[in-house]
Amino acid sequence: MKIQKVNQMNFGKKVHSLNTAQMYSMKILLTRMNNETIVKDNGRTFSTTIIKELSGKKNRFIDTRMIFEKVADNKQMTGKTLFIMDKTQLVIDNSTGNIIDWKKPFLKCWGKVMKDFNKNLNFFRENYYNNFIIKKKPFTLEGYTQKGFDMLMAPEGKKNA
């Protein structure tokens, strides 16, 4: 009796990724968000304000990178981005463009998800500077510099030095 070879089946997740135009649009958005970073440093304390989220009516673009200073354009595509459209959520790896996690309605096909993603991404890119349509949510971090921390921890008589 002859035994035929059975094809091996892969039951893992299919890798979904962004095309080059979508990657370019994401880079533009992340660069614009990073360009609005405000850093204040008086030698003892610092304050940094970054834009973490863009929100429209039913969609949100959330930057999960924790970059507290302005960086060059070629270093923008790091970390992850969370994109929320109605009932669909996508977690995107910025460096590769792969969708690493998602939550979508069961009967919604990937073609429709990517079409909606493209439409909403272009909406954010085109209306970024229109504050009536897109709301920007800042995140502020304040603290002591090393010099300020050393002065705070110094003995009582040496604090004025």
Side-chain angles (χ1 to χ4, degrees):
M1 183 161 104
K2 194 173 193 179
I3 299 175
Q4 295 182 359
K5 184 177 179 182
V6 177
N7 292 336
Q8 190 175 21
M9 296 188 69
N10 186 3
F11 292 104
K13 287 183 177 179
K14 181 181 178 192
V15 177
H16 300 281
S17 59
L18 307 182
N19 61 30
T20 54
Q22 292 167 337
M23 286 290 291
Y24 180 73
S25 294
M26 282 211 21
K27 183 176 181 179
I28 288 173
L29 277 175
L30 292 172
T31 303
R32 287 178 182 172
M33 291 169 75
N34 185 253
N35 286 339
E36 291 190 24
T37 299
I38 300 169
V39 179
K40 296 177 184 174
D41 186 358
N42 67 3
R44 296 179 183 166
T45 61
F46 71 92
S47 172
T48 303
T49 303
I50 58 176
I51 303 295
K52 288 298 288 178
E53 180 179 338
L54 305 173
S55 60
K57 288 185 178 180
K58 292 185 177 181
N59 47 9
R60 296 183 349 192
F61 182 87
I62 302 170
D63 181 14
T64 62
R65 305 173 305 165
M66 297 302 271
I67 301 176
F68 293 107
E69 60 186 4
K70 293 183 181 179
V71 296
D73 289 348
N74 59 352
K75 296 183 180 179
Q76 293 291 334
M77 299 304 282
T78 60
K80 297 176 181 71
T81 299
L82 175 63
F83 202 89
I84 301 172
M85 313 170 284
D86 292 330
K87 295 179 181 178
T88 305
Q89 298 177 7
L90 303 175
V91 179
I92 302 163
D93 183 5
N94 293 336
S95 59
T96 61
N98 291 339
I99 299 173
I100 54 177
D101 197 12
W102 62 83
K103 180 181 175 187
K104 68 176 189 68
F106 182 71
L107 295 175
K108 192 169 189 179
C109 66
W110 271 103
K112 177 73 171 143
V113 168
M114 295 310 287
K115 185 177 177 183
D116 290 346
F117 172 76
N118 196 35
K119 182 180 84 169
N120 287 309
L121 187 65
N122 288 332
F123 167 79
F124 279 123
R125 194 188 74 212
E126 293 166 2
N127 297 303
Y128 182 82
Y129 296 109
N130 190 343
N131 293 329
F132 296 111
I133 297 175
I134 294 185
K135 303 297 181 206
K136 300 174 187 173
K137 295 186 180 174
F139 176 77
T140 302
L141 178 69
E142 297 176 345
Y144 291 103
T145 62
Q146 187 63 42
K147 181 180 176 183
F149 182 74
D150 292 342
M151 289 180 67
L152 189 66
M153 291 297 161
E156 208 45 52
K158 296 184 178 181
K159 285 192 178 180
N160 294 332

